[in-house]
Amino acid sequence: GLINKAIKRFRAKGITIILTTHYMEDVEEVSDRVALLSLGKVLTFGRLDELIASKGGPYVIILSDIKGSRKKAFGALDRLENFEKIVPLDEKIYLVVSQEKISDAIAELSSLLSSREVKIGKIDIHEPSLNKVFLGINR
């Protein structure tokens, strides 16, 4: 909103802003460096991109609106090599892939989907995030 726009203008002018918030999405939008605190103690500090890359967790790809046999779809997806986990849950299939392998995994999944062996109506991709950094180190 308005505050984020003001912070971005100050940043563009080289002015340092110290922002305290519990809204991780706002932090990701306007911050270069981040200190995550819990109960008054600094849990981690560093560049936003480095924290997310090192502690932001994997990508999670959620396949839903699966057409045809879920068993057949899961069997085809099970042959994918770049994913850490493939988990069918309810009417969805969750694919977990490390940050390092995301490009190869997307290409591999795209190839499988274009072969029409698996028919998926919806694909959601959840990226590594600062919120995952906080949740991972605040256990």
Side-chain angles (χ1 to χ4, degrees):
L2 187 60
I3 293 175
N4 287 355
K5 287 180 184 177
I7 291 171
K8 288 177 184 179
R9 282 197 306 268
F10 286 129
R11 240 180 64 196
K13 294 179 182 181
I15 298 171
T16 299
I17 303 290
I18 297 176
L19 171 70
T20 61
T21 183
H22 59 279
Y23 295 112
M24 298 297 177
E25 295 82 14
D26 286 346
V27 173
E28 286 184 273
E29 184 179 336
V30 300
S31 301
D32 296 321
R33 294 174 115 13
V34 176
L36 294 177
L37 292 89
S38 180
L39 302 173
K41 294 183 180 177
V42 175
L43 300 174
T44 190
F45 174 77
R47 290 180 42 91
L48 178 64
D49 56 346
E50 291 171 354
L51 288 176
I52 292 174
S54 67
K55 301 176 184 178
Y59 283 81
V60 178
I61 300 172
I62 304 171
L63 308 177
S64 56
D65 192 17
I66 300 163
K67 312 291 186 208
S69 164
R70 288 186 70 239
K71 184 176 180 180
K72 182 178 175 184
F74 186 70
L77 292 167
D78 203 35
R79 293 193 312 262
L80 297 174
E81 296 179 4
N82 288 291
F83 292 87
E84 293 175 20
K85 292 181 188 173
I86 300 173
V87 181
L89 186 61
D90 298 325
E91 295 300 313
K92 299 177 181 179
I93 297 177
Y94 294 77
L95 308 170
V96 179
V97 61
S98 68
Q99 293 181 42
E100 298 79 25
K101 292 187 176 183
I102 187 63
S103 294
D104 291 338
I106 292 289
E108 184 180 35
L109 180 60
S110 177
S111 176
L112 178 68
L113 295 176
S114 67
S115 74
R116 298 199 179 268
E117 190 172 349
V118 179
K119 297 175 184 149
I120 304 296
K122 184 176 180 189
I123 301 173
D124 291 307
I125 300 175
H126 296 261
E127 298 179 350
S129 68
L130 189 60
N131 197 38
K132 289 180 184 175
V133 172
F134 181 72
L135 293 173
I137 61 177
N138 194 29
R139 291 185 185 180

